[in-house]
Amino acid sequence: MVVEQALERIGRLDPGLSAFVEVWPERALAHPADHRLPLSGVPFAVKGPSGIRSYAARRLIAAGAVPVGSTSVPGPGTYWQTWGLGAHGRTRNPWRADRTPGGSSAGSAVAVAAGMVPLATGSDGAGSVRIPAAWCGVFGLKTTNGLLPSPDRTGLASAGVLTRSAADARAYLRCVLDGYETVRVPLPLRARWSPDLGYAETDPEVESVARSAVDRLASADVVRIDSRPFALLDPKDAWQSTRRGEPVAAADVRAENDRRLAGLFADTDLLLTPATPNRPHGHDGPGELYSTALTWAFNLSGHPAASIPAGFTSDGCPVGLQLVTARGTDISLLEMAVAAERHTA
């Protein structure tokens, strides 16, 4: 029944949103049900044409989940930061059809935001899960680099997931992580806030929305904000060098940022930033803006990071709040996000 409802919703909504590249109704409806499995009959989508072969997809299927289709990613010749291209054309943001949903896990974010599926896989090499999660008003998690198998030889990309809420992502982590153990996080969390990581040009209204979410967390005793500023070196050139297969050129910036992050997490549970420095841009592209400015530092460093909904700008665009924790603390990060979402919605 749940799979049928998902397929009906995809058929009704996707022509206007173009979140999917392919839909597999016959395969999904024929999927055998085993009610002993933890995700028996739960429909999910996979990122891109090759997503069904990913490690995460295989683990979800083994847990009983049912793949219903593959979601859009940037099409041939499009700027990798910007769009998705689905079966019905360019992928549209469900909150503002004239804006992009972000990328590259564009269709996965839209499919979840529009309620077509409760869960979609993603991958994040520079912010490709967190940016569309932020711009579509859903939860997005980038796991610690190397925690799950990834085909990216540069080591920048890691597996991720998009769900309507952080609590909904628990099932994903339980199924893809061996030895998953529930973690309780004591509140308030020791937190630091940075609107720009010391180098990004953050849209003032985006900053204000994200900061208001942080203030709500502080008022609810979810976090205790340490007012000391925190800054990193701009990772742009280092990320691009690493992507080109020139890691030596990136070594100094990576080493210094790793040193600063190690110092931060020695006495801090959680780093908070806007997920993106800008709001969703139009389908003509971001111009000279780097939507990745606040996310790709943590692809270089390998830290787990997530985006939770923080609110909306005055023109109706969702804003995400980025949460970053120490390497390997993915389960703790998820539980922190669950606690935070109760007070940022």
Side-chain angles (χ1 to χ4, degrees):
M1 179 65 76
V2 179
V3 171
E4 291 176 354
Q5 291 172 345
L7 292 169
E8 184 278 329
R9 197 164 176 85
I10 292 168
R12 179 162 44 89
L13 298 179
D14 198 53
L17 294 171
S18 199
F20 282 85
V21 178
E22 294 180 347
V23 182
W24 310 315
E26 294 84 4
R27 185 190 312 179
L29 292 171
H31 193 89
D34 185 344
H35 298 295
R36 297 169 298 177
L37 298 174
L39 295 183
S40 178
V42 175
F44 76 101
V46 298
K47 176 184 177 179
S50 62
I52 194 66
R53 298 195 297 271
S54 70
Y55 175 82
R58 296 198 305 271
R59 293 296 294 261
L60 292 169
I61 293 168
V66 181
V68 296
S70 61
T71 58
S72 65
V73 293
T78 58
Y79 196 41
W80 65 267
Q81 296 182 59
T82 310
W83 295 282
L85 184 65
H88 303 284
R90 62 190 178 194
T91 308
R92 288 170 282 283
N93 191 304
W95 295 96
R96 287 278 307 260
D98 62 330
R99 306 292 177 94
T100 175
S104 61
S105 303
S108 287
V110 173
V112 170
M116 291 187 268
V117 289
L119 179 154
T121 65
S123 58
D124 189 316
S128 292
V129 165
R130 289 161 288 162
I131 293 168
W135 287 355
C136 291
V138 298
F139 174 75
L141 171 69
K142 177 197 88 71
T143 56
T144 298
N145 291 50
L147 181 69
L148 299 171
S150 169
D152 181 10
R153 295 181 180 178
T154 68
L156 292 170
S158 58
V161 66
L162 296 111
T163 54
R164 292 298 293 271
S165 71
D168 290 343
R170 284 173 172 147
Y172 169 87
L173 273 189
R174 287 192 184 102
C175 291
V176 301
L177 289 184
D178 292 325
Y180 178 99
E181 293 185 7
T182 301
V183 171
R184 293 181 61 122
V185 294
L187 303 179
L189 301 164
R190 301 170 298 172
R192 299 274 283 277
W193 157 255
S194 177
D196 54 15
L197 290 176
Y199 57 82
E201 296 181 9
T202 305
D203 177 320
E205 191 174 2
V206 169
E207 177 182 338
S208 176
V209 172
R211 178 68 213 208
S212 293
V214 173
D215 291 342
R216 293 196 296 275
L217 296 180
S219 296
D221 289 327
V222 176
V223 300
R224 181 179 296 124
I225 299 295
D226 182 330
S227 61
R228 289 176 294 168
F230 179 73
L232 295 173
L233 299 180
D234 188 342
K236 174 185 171 184
D237 292 341
W239 188 95
Q240 292 177 337
S241 294
T242 303
R243 188 68 173 177
R244 290 194 302 266
E246 302 168 359
V248 174
D252 290 346
V253 169
R254 295 186 79 164
E256 176 58 20
N257 281 350
D258 283 351
R259 185 189 69 78
R260 295 186 188 188
L261 287 163
L264 171 76
F265 289 119
D267 62 4
T268 301
D269 301 310
L270 184 63
L271 173 62
L272 298 165
T273 79
T276 66
N278 54 327
R279 65 192 76 191
H281 51 75
H283 293 284
D284 55 349
E288 297 301 315
L289 292 172
Y290 277 86
S291 306
T292 54
L294 296 170
T295 51
W296 53 5
F298 308 110
N299 296 90
L300 276 169
S301 69
H303 290 72
S307 177
I308 65 172
F312 292 82
T313 56
S314 58
D315 57 349
C317 293
V319 172
L321 178 66
Q322 180 173 225
L323 289 68
V324 186
T325 59
R327 293 187 192 95
T329 59
D330 300 64
I331 299 172
S332 294
L333 170 59
L334 182 56
E335 294 308 314
M336 294 179 197
V338 170
E341 273 190 345
R342 297 192 186 108
H343 300 279
T344 56

